[in-house]
Amino acid sequence: KKVAVEDLIIPPQNTKICGTICICQMTLVLSSVALVYLTVAIYMPSTRAFNSGITEVPVMCTTTRAVNKDNCEWGSCGEWCLSKTSGACIQIYVNLRNNGSSLTLANCTNSANKTCYGIDQENSKKARCIADECKNLTGTFNCTAGACINITDAFECVFADTDPPLKCSGRRGKITCIEIAGLFTCTRGTCRKIRTPYNCDRRCVDIPTRNKNIVLLSGDKVYLSQCQSAIDKETQLEVWNEEEDNVLMASCYNIQNTSIGVEAVDCINGSTLDKNVLTDLTNFTFLSHLHVAVAKPQKLIAPLEQELTIWNESRLMINLEGCVNTLQDECRDFLKDFGKDGTDHNARARFPCFYSEGNKEIAVARFNLEVTYQQFLIASILPSVLFVVSCITLILCQRSVVVGDDARMRFKGCASADTILPPGSKNNSQHNLGDGGGGGTDSVMAL
């Protein structure tokens, strides 16, 4: 049942005044909280970035090792900055060096690309011994805590000795092999752990080298072609020509086709190889061996990696804080891409990074002063303006809004004739005073 207006304990208020006060109070509280939070999330990190001395010109980093720690003094990436140093973490160490040469390969024909895939540890099918899935294992397996991945097709392992056999088949097989870890060679569920030293090379075969005079290695990829010349992009000098009748080899960060030719970025360990060493087909392991041990170094083509080294083992962090606040699993992807240290026999991660001349022991993967400055301005101006505007508005409301005897809020100076009764209605006293007729008793009572 709808209550009459005159019977309400608290009369209807001016919605514009109430709405303005409520919105300003909410804005004042939220902007105050934002200023406190942004002090930790934006203001302090931005100030450290401005004073870090890190140059915005990237150098190159190569991951040397990724270490799992239970208790961390520092971590390469944490998902929440307020708790970044608590609990377990992964620490990534990198080799820090200057950039190599950028080469332009002219008039290339008969090109070929070969990708030598290794083992994806996260997505590969695992045989779980506790589930009795190891009873028929045959081949070479990489096992961790009783979960084994078949690497037979991807790697060829050479070893001299093994541990005594473990029988993963039979009634007690799953108990026997519940915690096996390491590299194993298995035959129908009987597994022997391979002792160190051993060597495992990727089975990447059928790489076409016939009529090729350019061989560029880029991580797990091989680029081969028949080119006329190689030109240093920075000096515009020709550093190699096909008339030399040999094969140019180098290790490059990225290789791409452009309108002026094939461009190879950040090339190191330039060398030349006699043509008669290569046959029609070869494999990835043999190519890597030729590049390291057989080919003749040519610094003019691309400098040696050891000559470019700035620091042998720097700590890598995703940014200066070593953490992110997006809560979008950025660290999971970061550690997956940048934590490749070659222990799984795949190529090590190689990527641009940033450092300070005053502190070469730390390298960061993300650093952009322009973006940092923009974020600092937005985070400073927006909540500050909202805080000031809402605060001034509330002060003006305090000075200009009054509450009348009828418990209604109104601006000062406005007519005080507003009552809780609807317009056009009259109260009893007004009606009696305006009544010209009637008895004397009624008139006296009215007076």
Side-chain angles (χ1 to χ4, degrees):
K1 181 180 178 180
K2 188 175 181 180
V3 181
V5 175
E6 58 269 20
D7 294 334
L8 292 174
I9 298 176
I10 300 177
Q13 301 292 333
N14 188 317
T15 56
K16 294 181 180 179
I17 296 177
C18 289
T20 301
I21 294 175
C22 289
I23 291 175
C24 288
Q25 287 178 335
M26 181 182 67
T27 304
L28 181 66
V29 172
L30 292 179
S31 58
S32 302
V33 173
L35 288 170
V36 174
Y37 172 75
L38 292 174
T39 300
V40 179
I42 299 293
Y43 307 147
M44 293 173 62
S46 297
T47 303
R48 280 193 285 267
F50 297 146
N51 299 327
S52 64
I54 295 179
T55 176
E56 291 189 87
V57 178
V59 293
M60 294 302 296
C61 284
T62 303
T63 301
T64 56
R65 60 191 180 105
V67 183
N68 289 287
K69 289 283 187 178
D70 293 330
N71 296 308
C72 300
E73 295 181 359
W74 67 276
S76 291
C77 187
E79 282 291 352
W80 188 247
C81 289
L82 295 179
S83 60
K84 63 178 181 179
T85 57
S86 62
C89 71
I90 296 180
Q91 298 175 343
I92 299 175
Y93 293 87
V94 296
N95 174 272
L96 189 66
R97 63 168 177 82
N98 288 312
N99 295 307
S101 302
S102 292
L103 302 177
T104 300
L105 307 177
N107 300 324
C108 294
T109 58
N110 194 24
S111 299
N113 285 286
K114 181 74 172 181
T115 301
C116 299
Y117 295 102
I119 296 294
D120 188 345
Q121 299 283 348
E122 292 187 2
N123 300 320
S124 297
K125 183 179 179 180
K126 298 179 176 65
R128 297 171 58 248
C129 295
I130 188 62
D132 206 19
E133 296 175 352
C134 300
K135 59 184 179 181
N136 294 317
L137 295 185
T138 298
T140 305
F141 292 83
N142 187 19
C143 301
T144 303
C148 298
I149 300 175
N150 191 346
I151 65 171
T152 307
D153 295 334
F155 296 96
E156 180 180 3
C157 296
V158 178
F159 54 91
D161 199 6
T162 63
D163 286 348
L166 295 174
K167 192 173 182 180
C168 298
S169 58
R171 297 178 61 182
R172 294 187 54 83
K174 60 182 180 180
I175 304 300
T176 303
C177 301
I178 190 173
E179 293 183 351
I180 59 173
L183 195 64
F184 287 81
T185 176
C186 302
T187 303
R188 295 182 179 179
T190 301
C191 297
R192 294 176 173 86
K193 185 175 182 178
I194 299 175
R195 292 181 179 177
T196 55
Y198 60 83
N199 183 47
C200 292
D201 295 320
R202 275 175 285 185
R203 294 180 183 270
C204 189
V205 297
D206 298 336
I207 299 176
T209 54
R210 184 179 182 181
N211 296 327
K212 303 290 191 300
N213 59 9
I214 297 289
V215 178
L216 300 180
L217 306 176
S218 179
D220 294 323
K221 299 179 181 179
V222 183
Y223 174 83
L224 307 98
S225 187
Q226 176 80 26
C227 299
Q228 183 178 354
S229 62
I231 300 172
D232 189 299
K233 190 175 180 180
E234 183 178 354
T235 62
Q236 293 299 313
L237 296 177
E238 185 178 87
V239 295
W240 177 87
N241 193 284
E242 65 176 349
E243 294 180 358
E244 298 180 17
D245 198 30
N246 53 23
V247 178
L248 182 152
M249 299 189 74
S251 174
C252 303
Y253 169 63
N254 189 30
I255 304 167
Q256 56 187 359
N257 287 309
T258 65
S259 58
I260 60 174
V262 177
E263 288 192 359
V265 180
D266 183 50
C267 294
I268 58 174
N269 298 330
S271 59
T272 55
L273 182 70
D274 293 337
K275 276 190 173 182
N276 56 12
V277 177
L278 294 176
T279 57
D280 290 348
L281 297 172
T282 188
N283 59 66
F284 186 84
T285 302
F286 185 61
L287 270 184
S288 300
H289 169 73
L290 292 177
H291 184 213
V292 174
V294 179
K296 300 175 183 177
Q298 300 290 339
K299 298 180 183 179
L300 183 63
I301 297 175
L304 300 179
E305 184 175 12
Q306 55 265 32
E307 295 180 354
L308 298 173
T309 300
I310 300 171
W311 203 258
N312 283 325
E313 195 169 69
S314 301
R315 295 183 295 179
L316 177 70
M317 295 192 291
I318 188 170
N319 50 34
L320 276 174
E321 305 303 311
C323 59
V324 291
N325 291 312
T326 58
L327 297 179
Q328 296 179 350
D329 289 332
E330 282 188 73
C331 287
R332 181 191 61 187
D333 298 333
F334 174 81
L335 297 173
K336 180 181 178 181
D337 295 335
F338 293 81
K340 298 177 181 178
D341 58 358
T343 54
D344 58 353
H345 306 288
N346 292 320
R348 293 180 174 182
R350 180 174 168 184
F351 49 90
C353 58
F354 306 87
Y355 81 105
S356 170
E357 284 288 347
N359 188 6
K360 299 176 183 178
E361 295 183 0
I362 295 178
V364 295
R366 299 178 184 176
F367 187 79
N368 191 323
L369 282 179
E370 183 178 353
V371 173
T372 302
Y373 183 70
Q374 292 176 354
Q375 292 176 346
F376 182 80
L377 283 182
I378 294 173
S380 300
I381 294 175
L382 185 59
S384 299
V385 169
L386 292 175
F387 179 86
V388 172
V389 170
S390 58
C391 188
I392 292 176
T393 304
L394 289 174
I395 293 174
L396 292 176
C397 288
Q398 182 187 18
R399 299 289 185 180
S400 59
V401 175
V402 295
V403 179
D405 294 337
D406 56 356
R408 293 190 64 184
M409 290 187 294
R410 57 177 61 84
F411 288 106
K412 290 181 179 179
C414 293
S416 59
D418 296 337
T419 65
I420 62 174
L421 298 178
S425 63
K426 298 180 181 180
N427 57 30
N428 291 333
S429 61
Q430 289 175 333
H431 177 74
N432 292 332
L433 286 172
D435 189 2
T441 304
D442 291 338
S443 298
V444 172
M445 292 297 294
L447 291 174

